[in-house]
């Protein structure tokens, strides 16, 4: 069967190839990646508008690089610059921050102690110089606009109420009727309806904190410390812009996570933790509760149902990992699922989704658990915190934490012995004036021929529009002859010798079986 015949078969079988439940950044990014790969996508979102509640406020290096590779970096940069202007107008810091402004369990990291000499930091291209503070709601708007340009259908105010999955597809039930699709992707948050109805295991550890993050109007705040503060009761944050507060108390989880957060509730928590009795909350602009509930689905796929983002894993927000972890899920899953639904790759390709993403999710959960342990107010935790603080105040300690928080060293365990295999592709500056990242805007795999090697290029024959082939020298990497970069930007093969030895296997693994000459 030809690729075209496969496409027609899938076109006739379903209303949509994929239904995505949830139009947060993860669901929208997944929808964009699916559409880029040729899938017909419907996104269902129970909310009628973008949620303006204060949530994630930054993106890490892998997310910034992914957005750059899809041509979205200018829009993200514009949001950051507008935020800087607002901060300056409101009395906050109006200058660009250092390359990072991070903490570990509220222990601030000193940029002057960071050693960025490792080549991995030099290989990021324009994404490495971008301010990373982007409110979640603004990122959602950017991705919604892109989804629209790619032909994704988004229905707001429509909630998934149930579904029936079988070997051939999924019938998704909503208040507006049923939809038949090949696949259902649950990107519907930590209390995911899709995850619960599908029966995914969700093991983990129970919460021990109640946390609040809010933007409020305060009086009597002169005695509040700026930034992160640890007290005998818990932790609180004041700033970096006026009215932004965060509190953490080790008194167990809240009785009701869904109840509106009141000014009195925030004021009481801030007074208890800070020890400043005269501080008052006169108005709540936006507020949310959180806990350190840390759970992860044992697998991210059950038959025709898949999970991504908070639907697959939940944890405390410390370190700003949640949004970024979900964006990585979407980037990894999107091109693979698109290839399967279009008949261009076997269903077994989806097995690599859990295999590659689950270990990173497990690390994030433990990373946040470690921070909770250091934030506890008991004497043992405070003694350990003092030891860790001393380590953080060294160049190796700060550098290690920045490397991990930034995500710059994330990689997958892929077959191959070359040091680049499994890593995010370096943003090589090519002799034709382009960069590698710019060549990934199409969402297709990239075979980069750096030595004008006909033998290397011959391996690409039969992969049609699944693969872009670029021949261009890279003066900065004279020993590197070629790279095979997956659609998600990770290196599947790299070679330092001519001819493309060992290239055939990763091509077939990630792009499917090549077509015979003369067939599409």
């Amino acid at each position: 069967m030809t690729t075209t015949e496969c496409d027609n078969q899938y076109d006739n079988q379903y209303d949509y190839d994929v239904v995505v439940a949830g139009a947060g950044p993860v669901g929208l990014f997944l929808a964009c990646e699916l559409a880029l790969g040729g899938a017909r996508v419907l996104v269902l979102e129970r909310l009628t508008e973008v949620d303006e509640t204060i949530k994630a406020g930054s993106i890490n290096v892998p997310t910034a690089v992914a957005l750059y590779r899809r041509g979205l970096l200018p829009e993200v940069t514009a949001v950051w610059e507008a935020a800087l202007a607002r901060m300056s107008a409101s009395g906050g810091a109006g200058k660009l921050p250092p390359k990072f402004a991070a903490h570990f369990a509220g222990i601030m990291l000193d940029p002057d102690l960071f050693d960025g000499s490792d080549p991995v930091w030099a290989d990021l291209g324009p994404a490495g110089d971008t301010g990373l503070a982007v409110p979640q709601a603004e990122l959602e708007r950017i991705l919604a606009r892109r989804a629209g340009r790619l032909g994704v259908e988004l229905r707001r105010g429509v909630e998934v109420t149930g579904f029936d999955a079988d070997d051939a597809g999924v019938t998704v039930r909503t208040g507006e009727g049923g939809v038949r699709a090949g696949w259902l992707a649950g990107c519907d948050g930590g209390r995911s309806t899709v995850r619960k109805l599908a029966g995914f295991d969700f093991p983990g550890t129970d919460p021990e904190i109640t946390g609040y993050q809010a933007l409020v109007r305060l009086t009597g705040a002169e005695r509040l410390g700026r930034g992160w503060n640890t007290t005998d009761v818990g932790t609180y944050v004041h700033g970096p812009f006026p009215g932004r507060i965060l509190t953490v108390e080790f008194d167990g989880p809240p009785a009701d996570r869904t109840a509106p957060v009141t000014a009195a509730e925030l004021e009481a928590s801030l007074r208890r933790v800070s020890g400043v009795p005269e501080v008052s909350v006169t108005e709540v602009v936006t507020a949310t509760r959180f806990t350190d509930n840390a759970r992860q689905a044992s697998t991210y796929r059950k038959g025709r149902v898949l999970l991504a983002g908070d639907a697959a894993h939940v944890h405390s927000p410390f370190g700003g990992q949640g949004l970024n972890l979900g964006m990585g899920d979407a980037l990894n899953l999107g091109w693979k699922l698109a290839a399967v639904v279009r008949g261009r790759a076997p269903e077994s390709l989806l097995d690599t989704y859990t295999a590659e993403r689950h270990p990173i999710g497990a690390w994030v959960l433990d990373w946040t658990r470690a921070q909770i342990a250091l934030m506890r107010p008991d004497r043992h935790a405070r003694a350990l915190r003092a030891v860790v603080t001393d380590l953080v105040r060294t160049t190796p300690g700060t550098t290690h934490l920045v490397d991990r928080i930034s995500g710059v060293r994330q990689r997958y365990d892929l077959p191959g012995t070359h040091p680049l295999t499994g890593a995010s592709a370096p943003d090589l500056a090519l002799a034709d004036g382009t960069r590698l990242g710019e060549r990934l805007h199409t969402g297709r795999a990239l075979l980069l021929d750096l030595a004008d090697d006909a033998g290397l290029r011959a391996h690409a024959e039969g992969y049609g529009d699944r693969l872009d082939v670029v021949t261009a020298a890279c003066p900065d990497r004279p020993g590197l002859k070629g790279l095979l970069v997956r659609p998600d930007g990770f290196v599947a093969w790299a070679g330092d010798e001519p001819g493309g030895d060992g290239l055939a296997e990763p091509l077939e693994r990630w792009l499917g079986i090549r077509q015979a000459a003369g067939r599409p």
Side-chain angles (χ1 to χ4, degrees), residues 91-132:
K95 61 181 181 179
L96 283 171
K99 197 160 197 172
F100 67 90
H103 71 91
F104 184 76
I107 305 169
M108 297 307 297
L109 306 181
D110 183 352
D112 292 334
L113 293 176
F114 171 60
D115 179 4
S117 62
D118 192 293
V120 70
W121 287 96
D123 286 339
L124 299 176
D129 296 324
T130 302
L132 301 181

Side-chain angles (χ1 to χ4, degrees), residues 15-88:
D15 300 322
Y16 299 90
D17 293 318
V18 184
V19 169
V20 176
V26 174
L28 288 171
F29 193 41
L30 175 59
C32 291
E33 291 298 292
L34 287 165
L36 203 59
R40 296 165 304 139
V41 188
L42 170 65
V43 180
L44 301 176
E45 169 56 53
R46 64 179 181 82
L47 299 178
T48 57
E49 302 290 342
V50 173
D51 187 359
E52 300 290 349
T53 304
I54 186 169
K55 293 181 181 178
S58 63
I59 57 176
N60 67 4
V61 168
T63 300
V65 169
L67 295 172
Y68 158 60
R69 288 170 174 165
R70 296 301 186 251
L72 294 172
L73 194 57
E75 290 182 75
V76 173
T77 302
V79 168
W80 172 230
E81 291 173 346
L84 284 175
R86 289 194 298 270
M87 289 174 64
S88 179

Side-chain angles (χ1 to χ4, degrees), residues 22-387:
V26 174
L28 288 171
F29 193 41
L30 175 59
C32 291
E33 291 298 292
L34 287 165
L36 203 59
R40 296 165 304 139
V41 188
L42 170 65
V43 180
L44 301 176
E45 169 56 53
R46 64 179 181 82
L47 299 178
T48 57
E49 302 290 342
V50 173
D51 187 359
E52 300 290 349
T53 304
I54 186 169
K55 293 181 181 178
S58 63
I59 57 176
N60 67 4
V61 168
T63 300
V65 169
L67 295 172
Y68 158 60
R69 288 170 174 165
R70 296 301 186 251
L72 294 172
L73 194 57
E75 290 182 75
V76 173
T77 302
V79 168
W80 172 230
E81 291 173 346
L84 284 175
R86 289 194 298 270
M87 289 174 64
S88 179
S90 64
K95 61 181 181 179
L96 283 171
K99 197 160 197 172
F100 67 90
H103 71 91
F104 184 76
I107 305 169
M108 297 307 297
L109 306 181
D110 183 352
D112 292 334
L113 293 176
F114 171 60
D115 179 4
S117 62
D118 192 293
V120 70
W121 287 96
D123 286 339
L124 299 176
D129 296 324
T130 302
L132 301 181
V134 181
Q136 182 167 320
E138 293 300 324
L139 181 59
E140 186 175 322
R141 290 187 180 93
I142 290 171
L143 293 171
R145 290 192 294 269
R146 175 170 173 79
R149 294 193 297 268
L150 290 171
V152 172
E153 183 177 346
L154 170 58
R155 298 183 192 172
R156 290 193 176 274
V158 180
E159 185 173 5
V160 173
T161 59
F163 61 85
D164 298 304
D166 52 55
D167 291 341
V170 184
T171 301
V172 181
R173 297 192 297 275
T174 76
E176 296 184 350
V179 177
R180 183 66 174 172
W183 302 81
L184 172 62
C187 303
D188 49 343
R191 286 165 274 188
S192 168
T193 297
V194 172
R195 184 189 67 236
K196 294 172 183 176
L197 292 177
F200 282 86
D201 290 335
F202 205 47
T205 51
D206 294 331
E208 57 182 276
I209 70 168
T210 293
Y212 299 95
Q213 183 175 204
L215 183 60
V216 300
R217 306 202 188 285
L218 294 172
T219 62
E222 292 78 13
R223 289 178 52 205
L224 289 179
R226 300 293 296 179
W228 286 78
N229 301 270
T230 300
T231 72
D232 292 338
V233 176
T235 295
Y236 76 93
V237 181
H238 182 210
F241 45 85
R244 189 260 181 165
I245 60 171
L246 181 148
T247 65
V248 177
E249 296 183 77
F250 286 80
D251 56 354
D256 186 356
R257 286 268 319 263
T258 63
V261 180
T262 66
E265 189 177 0
L266 291 170
E267 179 179 288
S269 180
L270 186 57
R271 287 180 175 183
R272 283 193 299 268
V273 179
S274 69
V276 179
E278 62 269 27
V279 66
S280 296
V281 176
T282 61
E283 181 185 352
V284 179
V285 179
T286 176
T288 185
R289 295 182 191 86
F290 62 87
T291 74
D292 59 320
N293 183 35
R295 299 186 177 278
Q296 183 182 24
S298 301
T299 178
Y300 293 177
R301 177 194 172 199
K302 289 189 70 174
R304 293 274 177 160
V305 182
L306 301 113
L307 303 177
D310 289 350
H313 36 69
V314 294
H315 51 83
S316 78
F318 301 122
Q321 299 291 328
L323 168 65
N324 296 293
L325 182 58
M327 292 288 283
D329 293 345
L331 183 67
N332 187 285
L333 174 60
W335 67 275
K336 295 174 180 177
L337 184 53
V340 171
V341 301
R342 302 316 300 172
R344 296 168 181 161
E347 195 172 310
S348 59
L349 179 63
L350 296 177
D351 295 338
T352 67
Y353 172 49
T354 297
E356 292 179 357
R357 293 304 299 173
H358 197 279
I360 295 177
W363 172 82
V364 167
L365 263 66
D366 279 345
W367 183 262
T368 61
R369 290 183 180 115
Q371 293 183 76
I372 292 296
L374 287 177
M375 295 170 73
R376 290 177 183 139
D378 64 84
R379 289 190 64 181
H380 290 84
R382 292 301 161 87
L384 180 59
R385 184 182 183 88
V387 173

Side-chain angles (χ1 to χ4, degrees), residues 418 453 456 479-482 493-501:
H418 195 283
D453 183 352
L456 177 71
L480 187 62
K481 304 303 182 185
W493 173 88
D496 295 329
E497 300 295 333
D501 183 48

Side-chain angles (χ1 to χ4, degrees), residues 496-519:
D496 295 329
E497 300 295 333
D501 183 48
L503 178 56
E505 192 278 334
L507 277 168
E508 184 172 327
R509 172 189 289 267
W510 302 114
L511 302 184
I513 298 173
R514 63 198 294 178
Q515 299 292 333
R519 300 180 67 180

